[in-house]
Amino acid sequence: MAERTAQLLLLTVAVGLARGSQGDREPVYRDCVLRCEERNCSGDALKHFRSSQPIYMSLAGWTCQDDCRYECMWVAVGLYLQEGHRVPQFHGKWPFSRFLFIQEPASAVASLLNGLASLVMLCRYRASVPASSPMYHTCMAFAWVSLNAWFWSTVFHTRDTDLTEKMDYFGASAVILHSVYLCCVRTVGLQHPSVASAFGALLLLLLTAHISYLSLVHFDYGYNMMANVAIGLVNLAWWLAWCLRNHRRLPHTRRCMMVVVLLQGLSLLELLDFPPLFWVLDAHAIWHISTIPVHVLFFRFLEDDSLYLLKESGAKFKLD
């Protein structure tokens, strides 16, 4: 259920501080970038750079300036290590060893695997749950929203730009809001469809306003954090309360409770923020890897619950 929820609760602050970090404020780094750009990023030197740059790098949007920042980052890192100091972040990120055109290889691969898990579980859900199940269309929509979020998470960790960052954030917010809507439909909407419809329209309006403000007015990391924390806590509390109320009558809700508990526990991984092991694997990547089985577990719950509702609605139809 929004395995992205706990991620946003803890990470938005870090990214909110993102664009100015200790490493990129260092005079050694700034002077290195300035000299590199003057030497390589204009005139004939720039033409040489573009002609020698691998095609996959240019297609991914890596520029001469980006390469200067990358190379100078490692110059600064080397000096920090030489002096025995802790490695800093640069532009809100730890130093990662780039693989081909992929900026954060471990997080990108983990996001891709989460997306593949979503796709597999979506196919499994479609194969095992008839469309006549009361929750079918809502669950299918949630699966597609999750796929979209993991797609943009993969793209963002592959290449961090203003656009990919925004799409990653907006996709994650959409998952959380849709999880709240999913919970509303399951707990209230089956008995009162008009309430669920009105609530869904409200959530869609909130998402539109949220995206419009961040896109057209100001990309405020602090506001984004507070908004996602608020809706994330509502999401987790609502699901957990419903599961606790129904776990004896509906044994499959235990899977949902496990998801809620695991998400809270695994989110503590983000508190172990550290420079990447081998310059590849950091706490954020470990978090992404850990959400893969949790994601599968939640879709198993949705599958079991949808089949239960189908059976229950069939029994009521026979009685009528």
Side-chain angles (χ1 to χ4, degrees):
M1 126 196 12
E3 47 283 337
R4 306 299 307 279
T5 302
Q7 173 193 351
L8 279 170
L9 303 187
L10 290 166
L11 284 186
T12 312
V13 178
V15 180
L17 301 173
R19 307 307 161 190
S21 303
Q22 179 183 343
D24 51 86
R25 290 195 297 265
E26 287 291 342
V28 170
Y29 170 81
R30 297 168 71 91
D31 290 345
C32 175
V33 171
L34 182 61
R35 284 186 278 105
C36 177
E37 290 180 352
E38 289 177 347
R39 184 172 61 249
N40 300 317
C41 300
S42 61
D44 292 337
L46 179 59
K47 293 179 181 178
H48 174 72
F49 170 83
R50 289 173 175 169
S51 63
S52 61
Q53 184 184 38
I55 184 67
Y56 57 80
M57 293 291 287
S58 59
L59 290 175
W62 285 94
T63 65
C64 180
Q65 289 80 2
D66 293 329
D67 258 26
C68 283
R69 291 175 185 174
Y70 180 77
E71 297 298 334
C72 290
M73 175 184 73
W74 290 114
V75 171
V77 167
L79 291 175
Y80 267 85
L81 293 176
Q82 183 179 334
E83 297 295 327
H85 298 303
R86 188 172 187 265
V87 174
Q89 292 190 347
F90 294 81
H91 302 286
K93 290 180 177 289
W94 291 113
F96 289 97
S97 182
R98 189 172 63 192
F99 176 71
L100 298 178
F101 57 88
I102 303 175
Q103 196 164 351
E104 299 176 52
S107 290
V109 171
S111 295
L112 178 62
L113 291 176
N114 274 283
L116 290 175
S118 298
L119 181 60
V120 169
M121 296 310 293
L122 183 153
C123 294
R124 173 182 168 130
Y125 184 89
R126 289 184 62 182
S128 60
V129 179
S132 55
S133 175
M135 289 291 294
Y136 178 85
H137 296 290
T138 308
C139 290
M140 286 295 296
F142 176 76
W144 283 110
V145 171
S146 296
L147 269 175
N148 175 72
W150 286 116
F151 169 79
W152 284 110
S153 177
T154 303
V155 173
F156 171 63
H157 289 301
T158 297
R159 183 73 177 94
D160 180 0
T161 67
D162 287 342
L163 174 61
T164 60
E165 180 188 46
K166 286 183 173 65
M167 295 306 294
D168 179 50
Y169 270 91
F170 298 159
S173 297
V175 171
I176 301 174
L177 286 169
H178 203 288
S179 181
V180 174
Y181 175 67
L182 185 69
C183 188
C184 175
V185 173
R186 181 61 183 90
T187 59
V188 179
L190 296 180
Q191 294 77 31
H192 307 283
S194 59
V195 173
S197 297
F199 187 68
L202 174 63
L203 291 178
L204 185 60
L205 181 62
L206 288 175
L207 179 62
T208 303
H210 180 71
I211 292 175
S212 298
Y213 173 73
L214 293 176
S215 301
L216 304 176
V217 181
H218 174 53
F219 198 85
D220 187 332
Y221 290 98
Y223 154 73
N224 188 55
M225 176 197 69
M226 290 187 291
N228 283 297
V229 165
I231 198 67
L233 290 176
V234 170
N235 179 53
L236 295 175
W238 196 345
W239 274 112
L240 187 59
W242 178 77
C243 291
L244 289 172
R245 190 180 305 116
N246 293 279
H247 74 280
R248 292 180 180 173
R249 184 174 63 91
L250 305 174
H252 60 269
T253 59
R254 292 169 188 167
R255 284 200 177 102
C256 184
M257 283 193 291
M258 286 179 62
V259 169
V260 173
V261 172
L262 284 172
L263 283 177
Q264 294 309 296
L266 292 172
S267 64
L268 296 177
L269 288 170
E270 294 290 358
L271 300 179
L272 304 176
D273 200 19
F274 52 83
L277 300 173
F278 309 108
W279 307 116
V280 173
L281 189 66
D282 68 333
H284 185 63
I286 295 173
W287 154 255
H288 272 325
I289 294 169
S290 71
T291 62
I292 298 171
V294 178
H295 196 65
V296 172
L297 190 63
F298 185 62
F299 271 90
R300 287 291 304 277
F301 157 72
L302 293 179
E303 179 184 338
D304 291 344
D305 194 53
S306 295
L307 291 173
Y308 162 79
L309 290 172
L310 181 66
K311 183 178 179 180
E312 184 184 57
S313 62
K316 287 182 179 180
F317 178 78
K318 290 180 180 179
L319 289 174
D320 293 341

